[in-house]
Amino acid sequence: MNWISLICAGLFEMLGVVMMNKVNEKRSFKNIALLLVGFGMSFVCLSYAMQSLDMSIAYAIWTGIGATGGAILGMVLYGEPRNALRIFFITLIIGAVVGLKLVA
């Protein structure tokens, strides 16, 4: 259950990042509420996961999911560059997250 909570924390982090961009585009109650819900739930799920996972592993995986997801969503939703070097470094982040899971 702790790993599911950690994955949910990363997904909520991605929601928060997307909503940051939405708030910058258009300030509305809905966008601000979703931003707060995204980051709030991310911290709640991370806190729950850290009850049974080491802080170093949980935080690294959480930030990896958020950073990778944010970069991918930026490319998909906002037309950010999709060059080979960018994709290579996103793949490195994913590899590091998997490596941390394997050694945990």
Coordinates of all heavy atoms in Angstrom, one line a residue:
M1 N 0.8 -1.2 0.0 CA 0.0 0.0 0.0 C 0.9 1.3 0.0 O 0.5 2.3 -0.6 CB -0.9 0.0 1.2 CG -1.9 1.0 1.2 SD -3.1 0.7 -0.1 CE -4.2 2.1 0.2
N2 N 2.0 1.2 0.6 CA 2.9 2.4 0.7 C 3.4 2.8 -0.7 O 3.6 3.9 -1.0 CB 4.0 2.2 1.7 CG 4.8 0.9 1.4 OD1 4.5 0.1 0.5 ND2 5.8 0.6 2.2
W3 N 3.7 1.8 -1.5 CA 4.1 2.1 -2.9 C 3.0 2.7 -3.7 O 3.3 3.6 -4.5 CB 4.7 0.8 -3.6 CG 6.1 0.5 -3.0 CD1 6.3 -0.5 -2.1 CD2 7.3 1.1 -3.2 NE1 7.7 -0.5 -1.8 CE2 8.3 0.5 -2.5 CE3 7.7 2.2 -4.0 CZ2 9.6 0.9 -2.5 CZ3 9.0 2.6 -4.0 CH2 10.0 2.0 -3.3
I4 N 1.8 2.2 -3.5 CA 0.7 2.8 -4.3 C 0.5 4.2 -3.8 O 0.3 5.1 -4.7 CB -0.6 2.0 -4.0 CG1 -0.5 0.6 -4.7 CG2 -1.8 2.7 -4.5 CD1 -1.5 -0.4 -4.3
S5 N 0.6 4.5 -2.5 CA 0.5 5.8 -2.0 C 1.6 6.7 -2.6 O 1.3 7.9 -2.9 CB 0.6 5.8 -0.5 OG 0.5 7.1 0.0
L6 N 2.8 6.2 -2.7 CA 3.9 7.0 -3.3 C 3.6 7.3 -4.8 O 3.9 8.4 -5.2 CB 5.2 6.2 -3.1 CG 6.5 7.0 -3.5 CD1 6.6 8.3 -2.8 CD2 7.7 6.1 -3.3
I7 N 3.1 6.4 -5.5 CA 2.8 6.6 -6.9 C 1.7 7.6 -7.0 O 1.8 8.6 -7.9 CB 2.5 5.3 -7.6 CG1 3.7 4.4 -7.8 CG2 1.8 5.6 -9.0 CD1 3.4 3.0 -8.2
C8 N 0.7 7.5 -6.2 CA -0.4 8.5 -6.2 C 0.2 9.9 -5.8 O -0.2 10.9 -6.4 CB -1.5 8.1 -5.2 SG -2.5 6.8 -5.7
A9 N 1.1 10.0 -4.9 CA 1.7 11.3 -4.6 C 2.4 11.9 -5.8 O 2.3 13.1 -6.0 CB 2.7 11.1 -3.4
G10 N 3.1 11.0 -6.5 CA 3.8 11.5 -7.8 C 2.8 12.0 -8.8 O 3.0 13.0 -9.5
L11 N 1.7 11.3 -8.9 CA 0.6 11.7 -9.9 C -0.1 13.0 -9.5 O -0.3 13.9 -10.3 CB -0.4 10.6 -10.1 CG 0.1 9.3 -10.7 CD1 -1.0 8.2 -10.7 CD2 0.7 9.5 -12.1
F12 N -0.3 13.1 -8.2 CA -0.9 14.4 -7.7 C 0.1 15.6 -7.9 O -0.3 16.7 -8.2 CB -1.3 14.3 -6.2 CG -2.7 13.7 -6.0 CD1 -2.8 12.5 -5.3 CD2 -3.8 14.2 -6.6 CE1 -4.0 11.9 -5.1 CE2 -5.0 13.6 -6.4 CZ -5.2 12.5 -5.7
E13 N 1.4 15.3 -7.8 CA 2.4 16.3 -8.0 C 2.4 16.7 -9.4 O 2.5 17.9 -9.7 CB 3.8 15.7 -7.7 CG 5.0 16.6 -7.9 CD 5.1 17.6 -6.7 OE1 4.3 17.5 -5.7 OE2 5.9 18.5 -6.9
M14 N 2.2 15.8 -10.4 CA 2.0 16.1 -11.8 C 0.8 17.0 -12.0 O 0.9 18.0 -12.7 CB 1.9 14.9 -12.6 CG 3.2 14.1 -12.7 SD 3.0 12.4 -13.4 CE 2.1 12.7 -14.9
L15 N -0.3 16.7 -11.3 CA -1.5 17.6 -11.4 C -1.2 19.0 -10.9 O -1.5 20.0 -11.6 CB -2.6 17.0 -10.6 CG -3.9 17.8 -10.5 CD1 -4.6 18.1 -11.8 CD2 -4.9 17.2 -9.5
G16 N -0.5 19.1 -9.8 CA -0.1 20.4 -9.3 C 0.7 21.2 -10.3 O 0.5 22.4 -10.4
V17 N 1.7 20.5 -10.9 CA 2.6 21.2 -11.9 C 1.8 21.7 -13.1 O 2.0 22.8 -13.5 CB 3.7 20.3 -12.3 CG1 4.5 20.8 -13.5 CG2 4.7 20.0 -11.1
V18 N 0.9 20.9 -13.6 CA 0.1 21.3 -14.7 C -0.8 22.5 -14.3 O -1.0 23.4 -15.1 CB -0.8 20.1 -15.3 CG1 -1.8 20.6 -16.2 CG2 0.1 19.1 -15.9
M19 N -1.4 22.4 -13.1 CA -2.3 23.5 -12.7 C -1.5 24.8 -12.4 O -2.1 25.8 -12.6 CB -3.1 23.0 -11.5 CG -4.1 21.9 -11.7 SD -5.0 22.1 -13.3 CE -5.9 23.6 -12.9
M20 N -0.2 24.7 -12.1 CA 0.6 25.9 -12.0 C 0.6 26.6 -13.3 O 0.4 27.9 -13.3 CB 2.0 25.6 -11.5 CG 2.2 25.3 -10.1 SD 3.8 24.8 -9.5 CE 4.9 25.9 -10.4
N21 N 0.8 25.9 -14.4 CA 0.8 26.5 -15.7 C -0.6 27.1 -16.0 O -0.7 28.1 -16.6 CB 1.2 25.5 -16.7 CG 1.6 26.1 -18.0 OD1 2.2 27.2 -18.0 ND2 1.3 25.5 -19.1
K22 N -1.7 26.3 -15.7 CA -3.0 26.8 -15.9 C -3.3 28.1 -15.2 O -4.0 29.0 -15.7 CB -4.1 25.7 -15.5 CG -4.1 24.5 -16.4 CD -4.8 24.8 -17.7 CE -5.0 23.5 -18.5 NZ -5.5 23.8 -19.8
V23 N -2.9 28.2 -13.9 CA -3.1 29.4 -13.1 C -2.4 30.5 -13.8 O -2.9 31.7 -13.8 CB -2.7 29.1 -11.6 CG1 -2.6 30.5 -10.9 CG2 -3.6 28.2 -11.0
N24 N -1.2 30.3 -14.3 CA -0.4 31.4 -15.0 C -1.2 31.8 -16.2 O -1.1 33.0 -16.6 CB 1.0 30.9 -15.3 CG 1.9 31.0 -14.1 OD1 1.7 31.7 -13.1 ND2 2.8 30.1 -14.0
E25 N -1.8 30.9 -16.9 CA -2.6 31.3 -18.1 C -3.9 32.0 -17.8 O -4.2 33.0 -18.4 CB -2.9 30.0 -18.9 CG -1.8 29.3 -19.6 CD -2.2 28.0 -20.2 OE1 -3.3 27.6 -20.1 OE2 -1.3 27.4 -20.9
K26 N -4.6 31.5 -16.8 CA -5.9 32.1 -16.4 C -6.2 31.8 -14.9 O -6.3 30.7 -14.5 CB -7.0 31.4 -17.2 CG -8.4 32.0 -16.9 CD -9.5 31.2 -17.6 CE -10.8 31.8 -17.2 NZ -11.9 30.9 -17.5
R27 N -6.2 32.9 -14.2 CA -6.5 32.8 -12.7 C -8.0 32.6 -12.6 O -8.8 33.5 -12.9 CB -6.0 34.0 -12.0 CG -4.5 34.0 -11.9 CD -4.1 35.2 -11.0 NE -2.6 35.3 -11.2 CZ -1.7 35.0 -10.3 NH1 -2.1 34.5 -9.1 NH2 -0.5 35.1 -10.5
S28 N -8.4 31.5 -12.1 CA -9.8 31.2 -11.7 C -9.8 30.4 -10.5 O -8.9 29.7 -10.1 CB -10.5 30.5 -12.9 OG -10.0 29.1 -13.0
F29 N -11.0 30.4 -9.8 CA -11.2 29.6 -8.6 C -10.9 28.2 -8.9 O -10.2 27.5 -8.1 CB -12.6 29.8 -8.0 CG -12.8 29.0 -6.8 CD1 -12.3 29.4 -5.6 CD2 -13.5 27.8 -6.9 CE1 -12.5 28.6 -4.4 CE2 -13.8 27.1 -5.7 CZ -13.2 27.5 -4.5
K30 N -11.4 27.6 -10.0 CA -11.3 26.2 -10.3 C -9.8 25.9 -10.4 O -9.3 24.9 -9.9 CB -12.0 25.9 -11.6 CG -11.8 24.5 -12.1 CD -12.5 24.3 -13.4 CE -11.9 23.0 -14.1 NZ -12.3 22.9 -15.5
N31 N -9.0 26.7 -11.2 CA -7.6 26.4 -11.4 C -6.8 26.4 -10.1 O -6.0 25.6 -9.8 CB -7.0 27.3 -12.4 CG -7.5 27.0 -13.8 OD1 -8.1 26.0 -14.1 ND2 -7.3 28.0 -14.7
I32 N -7.1 27.4 -9.3 CA -6.4 27.6 -8.0 C -6.8 26.4 -7.1 O -5.9 25.9 -6.4 CB -6.6 29.0 -7.4 CG1 -6.0 30.0 -8.3 CG2 -6.1 29.0 -6.0 CD1 -6.4 31.5 -7.9
A33 N -8.0 26.1 -7.1 CA -8.5 25.0 -6.2 C -7.8 23.7 -6.6 O -7.3 22.9 -5.8 CB -10.0 24.8 -6.2
L34 N -7.7 23.4 -7.9 CA -7.1 22.2 -8.4 C -5.6 22.2 -8.1 O -5.0 21.1 -7.8 CB -7.4 22.0 -9.9 CG -8.8 21.5 -10.2 CD1 -9.0 21.5 -11.7 CD2 -9.0 20.1 -9.7
L35 N -5.0 23.3 -8.2 CA -3.6 23.5 -7.8 C -3.3 23.1 -6.4 O -2.5 22.3 -6.1 CB -3.1 24.9 -8.1 CG -1.7 25.2 -7.6 CD1 -0.7 25.0 -8.6 CD2 -1.7 26.7 -7.1
L36 N -4.2 23.6 -5.5 CA -4.0 23.3 -4.1 C -4.4 21.9 -3.8 O -3.7 21.3 -2.9 CB -4.9 24.3 -3.3 CG -4.5 25.8 -3.3 CD1 -5.6 26.6 -2.6 CD2 -3.2 26.0 -2.7
V37 N -5.4 21.3 -4.4 CA -5.7 19.9 -4.2 C -4.6 19.0 -4.7 O -4.2 18.1 -4.0 CB -7.1 19.6 -4.9 CG1 -7.2 18.1 -5.0 CG2 -8.2 20.2 -4.2
G38 N -4.0 19.3 -5.9 CA -2.9 18.5 -6.4 C -1.8 18.5 -5.5 O -1.3 17.4 -5.1
F39 N -1.3 19.6 -5.1 CA -0.1 19.6 -4.2 C -0.4 19.2 -2.8 O 0.4 18.5 -2.2 CB 0.5 21.0 -4.1 CG 1.3 21.4 -5.4 CD1 1.2 22.6 -6.0 CD2 2.3 20.5 -5.9 CE1 1.9 22.9 -7.2 CE2 3.0 20.8 -7.0 CZ 2.8 22.0 -7.7
G40 N -1.6 19.5 -2.3 CA -2.0 19.0 -1.0 C -2.1 17.5 -0.9 O -1.6 16.9 0.0
M41 N -2.8 16.9 -1.8 CA -2.9 15.5 -1.9 C -1.6 14.8 -2.1 O -1.3 13.7 -1.6 CB -3.9 15.0 -2.9 CG -5.4 15.3 -2.5 SD -5.8 14.6 -1.0 CE -5.7 12.8 -1.3
S42 N -0.7 15.5 -2.9 CA 0.6 14.9 -3.1 C 1.4 14.8 -1.8 O 2.0 13.8 -1.5 CB 1.4 15.8 -4.0 OG 2.7 15.4 -4.2
F43 N 1.3 15.8 -0.9 CA 2.0 15.8 0.4 C 1.4 14.8 1.3 O 2.1 14.1 2.1 CB 2.1 17.2 1.0 CG 3.0 18.1 0.3 CD1 2.6 19.4 -0.2 CD2 4.3 17.8 0.1 CE1 3.5 20.2 -0.8 CE2 5.2 18.6 -0.5 CZ 4.8 19.9 -1.0
V44 N 0.0 14.7 1.3 CA -0.7 13.7 2.1 C -0.2 12.3 1.8 O 0.1 11.5 2.7 CB -2.2 13.9 2.1 CG1 -2.9 12.7 2.7 CG2 -2.6 15.2 2.7
C45 N -0.2 12.0 0.5 CA 0.1 10.6 0.0 C 1.6 10.4 0.3 O 2.0 9.3 0.7 CB -0.2 10.5 -1.4 SG -1.9 10.4 -1.8
L46 N 2.5 11.4 0.1 CA 3.9 11.2 0.4 C 4.1 10.9 1.9 O 4.9 10.1 2.3 CB 4.7 12.4 -0.1 CG 6.2 12.4 0.3 CD1 6.9 11.2 -0.5 CD2 6.8 13.7 -0.1
S47 N 3.4 11.7 2.7 CA 3.5 11.5 4.2 C 3.1 10.1 4.6 O 3.8 9.5 5.4 CB 2.7 12.6 4.9 OG 2.7 12.4 6.3
Y48 N 2.0 9.6 4.0 CA 1.6 8.3 4.3 C 2.6 7.2 3.9 O 2.9 6.3 4.6 CB 0.2 8.0 3.6 CG -0.3 6.6 3.9 CD1 -0.9 6.3 5.1 CD2 -0.2 5.6 2.9 CE1 -1.4 5.0 5.3 CE2 -0.6 4.3 3.1 CZ -1.2 4.0 4.3 OH -1.7 2.8 4.6
A49 N 3.1 7.4 2.7 CA 4.1 6.5 2.2 C 5.4 6.5 3.0 O 6.0 5.4 3.2 CB 4.5 6.8 0.7
M50 N 5.8 7.6 3.6 CA 7.0 7.7 4.4 C 6.8 7.1 5.8 O 7.8 7.0 6.5 CB 7.4 9.2 4.5 CG 8.0 9.7 3.2 SD 8.4 11.4 3.2 CE 9.6 11.5 4.5
Q51 N 5.6 6.7 6.1 CA 5.5 6.0 7.4 C 6.1 4.6 7.4 O 6.5 4.1 8.4 CB 4.0 5.8 7.7 CG 3.3 7.1 8.1 CD 1.8 6.9 8.3 OE1 1.3 5.8 8.3 NE2 1.2 8.0 8.7
S52 N 6.3 4.0 6.2 CA 6.9 2.7 6.1 C 8.0 2.6 5.1 O 8.7 1.6 5.0 CB 5.8 1.7 5.8 OG 5.2 2.0 4.6
L53 N 8.3 3.7 4.4 CA 9.4 3.7 3.4 C 10.5 4.7 4.0 O 10.2 5.7 4.6 CB 9.0 4.2 2.0 CG 8.0 3.3 1.3 CD1 7.6 4.0 0.0 CD2 8.7 2.0 0.9
D54 N 11.7 4.4 3.6 CA 12.8 5.3 4.0 C 12.6 6.7 3.3 O 12.2 6.7 2.1 CB 14.2 4.8 3.6 CG 14.6 3.6 4.3 OD1 14.1 3.4 5.5 OD2 15.4 2.8 3.8
M55 N 12.8 7.7 4.0 CA 12.7 9.1 3.5 C 13.4 9.3 2.2 O 12.9 9.9 1.2 CB 13.1 10.1 4.5 CG 12.9 11.6 4.0 SD 13.9 12.8 4.8 CE 15.6 12.3 4.5
S56 N 14.7 8.9 2.2 CA 15.5 9.1 1.0 C 15.0 8.4 -0.2 O 14.9 9.0 -1.3 CB 16.9 8.6 1.3 OG 16.9 7.2 1.6
I57 N 14.5 7.2 -0.1 CA 13.9 6.5 -1.2 C 12.5 7.1 -1.6 O 12.3 7.4 -2.8 CB 13.7 5.0 -0.9 CG1 15.0 4.3 -0.6 CG2 12.9 4.3 -2.0 CD1 16.0 4.3 -1.7
A58 N 11.7 7.4 -0.7 CA 10.4 7.9 -1.0 C 10.5 9.3 -1.6 O 9.8 9.6 -2.7 CB 9.5 8.0 0.3
Y59 N 11.3 10.2 -1.1 CA 11.5 11.5 -1.7 C 12.1 11.5 -3.1 O 11.6 12.2 -4.0 CB 12.3 12.4 -0.7 CG 12.4 13.8 -1.2 CD1 11.3 14.7 -1.1 CD2 13.5 14.3 -1.8 CE1 11.3 16.0 -1.6 CE2 13.6 15.6 -2.3 CZ 12.5 16.4 -2.1 OH 12.6 17.7 -2.6
A60 N 13.1 10.6 -3.3 CA 13.7 10.6 -4.6 C 12.7 10.0 -5.6 O 12.7 10.6 -6.8 CB 14.9 9.6 -4.5
I61 N 11.9 9.0 -5.3 CA 11.0 8.5 -6.2 C 9.9 9.5 -6.5 O 9.4 9.7 -7.6 CB 10.4 7.1 -5.7 CG1 11.6 6.1 -5.8 CG2 9.2 6.7 -6.6 CD1 11.3 4.8 -5.2
W62 N 9.4 10.2 -5.5 CA 8.4 11.2 -5.6 C 8.8 12.3 -6.5 O 8.1 12.7 -7.4 CB 8.0 11.7 -4.2 CG 7.0 12.8 -4.2 CD1 5.7 12.8 -4.5 CD2 7.3 14.2 -3.7 NE1 5.2 14.1 -4.3 CE2 6.1 14.9 -3.8 CE3 8.5 14.8 -3.3 CZ2 6.0 16.2 -3.4 CZ3 8.4 16.1 -2.9 CH2 7.2 16.8 -3.0
T63 N 10.0 12.8 -6.3 CA 10.5 13.9 -7.2 C 10.8 13.4 -8.6 O 10.6 14.1 -9.6 CB 11.8 14.5 -6.6 OG1 12.8 13.6 -6.4 CG2 11.5 15.3 -5.3
G64 N 11.2 12.1 -8.7 CA 11.4 11.5 -10.1 C 10.1 11.5 -10.8 O 10.1 11.8 -12.0
I65 N 9.1 11.0 -10.2 CA 7.8 10.9 -10.9 C 7.3 12.3 -11.2 O 6.8 12.5 -12.4 CB 6.7 10.2 -10.0 CG1 7.1 8.7 -9.8 CG2 5.3 10.3 -10.6 CD1 6.2 8.0 -8.7
G66 N 7.4 13.2 -10.3 CA 7.0 14.6 -10.6 C 7.8 15.3 -11.7 O 7.2 15.9 -12.6
A67 N 9.1 15.1 -11.7 CA 9.9 15.7 -12.7 C 9.7 15.1 -14.1 O 9.6 15.8 -15.1 CB 11.4 15.7 -12.3
T68 N 9.7 13.8 -14.1 CA 9.5 13.1 -15.4 C 8.1 13.4 -15.9 O 7.9 13.7 -17.1 CB 9.7 11.6 -15.2 OG1 11.0 11.3 -14.7 CG2 9.5 10.8 -16.5
G69 N 7.1 13.2 -15.1 CA 5.7 13.5 -15.5 C 5.5 14.9 -16.0 O 4.9 15.2 -17.0
G70 N 6.1 15.9 -15.3 CA 6.0 17.3 -15.7 C 6.6 17.5 -17.0 O 6.1 18.2 -17.9
A71 N 7.8 16.9 -17.3 CA 8.4 17.1 -18.6 C 7.6 16.5 -19.7 O 7.5 17.1 -20.8 CB 9.9 16.5 -18.5
I72 N 7.1 15.3 -19.4 CA 6.3 14.6 -20.5 C 5.0 15.3 -20.7 O 4.6 15.5 -21.9 CB 6.1 13.1 -20.1 CG1 7.4 12.3 -20.1 CG2 5.0 12.5 -21.0 CD1 7.3 10.9 -19.5
L73 N 4.3 15.8 -19.7 CA 3.1 16.5 -19.9 C 3.4 17.9 -20.6 O 2.5 18.3 -21.4 CB 2.4 16.8 -18.5 CG 1.8 15.5 -17.9 CD1 1.2 15.9 -16.5 CD2 0.7 15.0 -18.8
G74 N 4.5 18.5 -20.3 CA 4.9 19.7 -21.0 C 5.0 19.5 -22.5 O 4.6 20.3 -23.3
M75 N 5.6 18.3 -22.8 CA 5.7 18.0 -24.3 C 4.4 17.7 -24.9 O 4.1 18.1 -26.0 CB 6.7 16.8 -24.4 CG 8.1 17.2 -24.1 SD 9.3 15.9 -24.5 CE 9.0 14.7 -23.2
V76 N 3.6 17.0 -24.2 CA 2.3 16.5 -24.8 C 1.3 17.6 -24.8 O 0.6 17.9 -25.8 CB 1.7 15.3 -24.0 CG1 0.3 15.0 -24.4 CG2 2.6 14.1 -24.1
L77 N 1.1 18.4 -23.7 CA 0.1 19.4 -23.6 C 0.4 20.8 -24.1 O -0.4 21.5 -24.5 CB -0.4 19.5 -22.1 CG -1.0 18.2 -21.5 CD1 -1.3 18.5 -20.0 CD2 -2.2 17.8 -22.2
Y78 N 1.7 21.1 -24.0 CA 2.1 22.5 -24.3 C 3.1 22.6 -25.4 O 3.7 23.7 -25.6 CB 2.7 23.1 -23.0 CG 1.6 23.2 -21.9 CD1 1.7 22.3 -20.8 CD2 0.5 24.0 -22.0 CE1 0.7 22.3 -19.8 CE2 -0.5 24.0 -21.0 CZ -0.3 23.1 -19.9 OH -1.3 23.1 -19.0
G79 N 3.4 21.5 -26.1 CA 4.3 21.6 -27.3 C 5.7 21.9 -27.0 O 6.4 22.5 -27.8
E80 N 6.2 21.6 -25.8 CA 7.6 21.8 -25.4 C 8.5 20.9 -26.3 O 8.0 19.9 -26.8 CB 7.8 21.5 -24.0 CG 7.1 22.6 -23.1 CD 7.3 22.3 -21.6 OE1 8.0 21.4 -21.2 OE2 6.7 23.1 -20.8
P81 N 9.7 21.2 -26.5 CA 10.6 20.5 -27.4 C 10.7 19.0 -27.0 O 10.6 18.6 -25.9 CB 12.0 21.1 -27.2 CG 11.7 22.5 -26.6 CD 10.4 22.4 -25.8
R82 N 10.7 18.2 -28.1 CA 10.8 16.7 -27.9 C 12.1 16.2 -28.6 O 12.1 15.2 -29.2 CB 9.6 16.1 -28.6 CG 8.3 16.4 -28.0 CD 7.2 15.8 -28.8 NE 5.9 16.3 -28.2 CZ 4.7 15.9 -28.7 NH1 4.6 15.2 -29.7 NH2 3.7 16.4 -28.1
N83 N 13.2 16.8 -28.3 CA 14.4 16.4 -29.0 C 15.0 15.1 -28.2 O 14.6 14.8 -27.1 CB 15.5 17.5 -29.0 CG 15.8 18.0 -27.7 OD1 16.1 17.3 -26.7 ND2 15.8 19.4 -27.6
A84 N 15.9 14.5 -28.9 CA 16.5 13.2 -28.4 C 17.2 13.4 -27.1 O 17.1 12.5 -26.2 CB 17.4 12.6 -29.5
L85 N 17.9 14.4 -26.9 CA 18.7 14.6 -25.7 C 17.7 14.8 -24.5 O 18.0 14.3 -23.4 CB 19.6 15.9 -25.8 CG 20.7 16.0 -24.9 CD1 21.6 14.7 -24.9 CD2 21.6 17.2 -25.2
R86 N 16.6 15.5 -24.7 CA 15.6 15.7 -23.6 C 15.0 14.4 -23.2 O 14.9 14.0 -22.1 CB 14.6 16.7 -24.1 CG 13.6 17.0 -23.0 CD 12.6 18.1 -23.6 NE 11.6 18.4 -22.6 CZ 11.4 19.6 -22.2 NH1 12.0 20.6 -22.7 NH2 10.5 19.8 -21.3
I87 N 14.7 13.6 -24.2 CA 14.1 12.3 -24.0 C 15.1 11.3 -23.3 O 14.8 10.6 -22.4 CB 13.5 11.7 -25.3 CG1 12.3 12.5 -25.7 CG2 13.1 10.2 -25.1 CD1 11.8 12.2 -27.1
F88 N 16.3 11.4 -23.7 CA 17.4 10.6 -23.1 C 17.5 10.9 -21.6 O 17.6 10.0 -20.8 CB 18.8 10.9 -23.8 CG 19.9 10.3 -23.0 CD1 20.2 9.0 -23.1 CD2 20.8 11.2 -22.3 CE1 21.3 8.4 -22.4 CE2 21.9 10.6 -21.6 CZ 22.1 9.3 -21.7
F89 N 17.5 12.2 -21.2 CA 17.6 12.6 -19.8 C 16.3 12.2 -19.0 O 16.4 11.8 -17.8 CB 18.0 14.0 -19.6 CG 19.4 14.3 -20.0 CD1 19.7 15.1 -21.0 CD2 20.4 13.7 -19.2 CE1 21.1 15.4 -21.3 CE2 21.8 13.9 -19.6 CZ 22.1 14.8 -20.6
I90 N 15.2 12.3 -19.6 CA 14.0 11.8 -18.9 C 14.1 10.3 -18.7 O 13.7 9.8 -17.6 CB 12.7 12.1 -19.8 CG1 12.5 13.6 -19.8 CG2 11.5 11.3 -19.3 CD1 11.4 14.1 -20.7
T91 N 14.6 9.6 -19.7 CA 14.8 8.1 -19.5 C 15.8 7.8 -18.4 O 15.7 6.9 -17.6 CB 15.3 7.5 -20.8 OG1 14.4 7.8 -21.8 CG2 15.5 6.0 -20.7
L92 N 16.9 8.7 -18.2 CA 17.8 8.5 -17.1 C 17.1 8.7 -15.8 O 17.4 7.9 -14.8 CB 18.9 9.5 -17.2 CG 20.0 9.2 -18.2 CD1 21.1 10.4 -18.2 CD2 20.7 7.9 -17.9
I93 N 16.2 9.6 -15.7 CA 15.5 9.8 -14.4 C 14.6 8.6 -14.1 O 14.7 8.1 -13.0 CB 14.6 11.1 -14.5 CG1 15.4 12.3 -14.6 CG2 13.6 11.1 -13.2 CD1 14.6 13.6 -14.9
I94 N 13.9 8.1 -15.1 CA 13.1 6.8 -14.9 C 14.0 5.7 -14.5 O 13.7 4.9 -13.6 CB 12.3 6.5 -16.2 CG1 11.3 7.6 -16.4 CG2 11.7 5.1 -16.1 CD1 10.6 7.5 -17.8
G95 N 15.2 5.5 -15.1 CA 16.1 4.5 -14.8 C 16.6 4.6 -13.4 O 16.8 3.6 -12.6
A96 N 16.9 5.8 -12.9 CA 17.3 6.0 -11.5 C 16.2 5.7 -10.5 O 16.5 5.1 -9.5 CB 17.7 7.5 -11.4
V97 N 15.0 6.0 -10.9 CA 13.9 5.7 -10.0 C 13.7 4.1 -9.9 O 13.6 3.6 -8.8 CB 12.6 6.3 -10.5 CG1 11.4 5.8 -9.7 CG2 12.6 7.8 -10.3
V98 N 13.8 3.5 -11.0 CA 13.7 2.0 -11.0 C 14.9 1.4 -10.2 O 14.7 0.5 -9.4 CB 13.7 1.5 -12.4 CG1 13.8 -0.1 -12.5 CG2 12.4 1.9 -13.1
G99 N 16.1 2.0 -10.4 CA 17.3 1.5 -9.7 C 17.1 1.6 -8.2 O 17.4 0.7 -7.4
L100 N 16.5 2.8 -7.7 CA 16.3 3.0 -6.3 C 15.3 2.0 -5.8 O 15.5 1.4 -4.7 CB 15.8 4.4 -6.0 CG 16.8 5.5 -6.1 CD1 16.2 6.8 -6.0 CD2 17.8 5.3 -4.9
K101 N 14.3 1.6 -6.6 CA 13.3 0.7 -6.1 C 14.0 -0.7 -6.0 O 13.7 -1.5 -5.0 CB 12.2 0.6 -7.1 CG 11.2 -0.6 -7.0 CD 10.4 -0.6 -5.7 CE 9.4 -1.7 -5.7 NZ 9.6 -2.7 -4.9
L102 N 14.9 -1.1 -6.9 CA 15.5 -2.4 -6.9 C 16.4 -2.5 -5.7 O 16.6 -3.6 -5.2 CB 16.2 -2.6 -8.2 CG 15.4 -2.8 -9.4 CD1 16.2 -2.9 -10.7 CD2 14.5 -4.0 -9.3
V103 N 17.1 -1.5 -5.3 CA 18.0 -1.6 -4.2 C 17.4 -1.3 -2.8 O 18.0 -1.5 -1.8 CB 19.3 -0.7 -4.4 CG1 20.0 -1.0 -5.6 CG2 18.9 0.8 -4.3
A104 N 16.2 -0.9 -2.8 CA 15.5 -0.6 -1.5 C 15.2 -1.8 -0.8 O 14.9 -2.9 -1.2 CB 14.2 0.2 -1.8

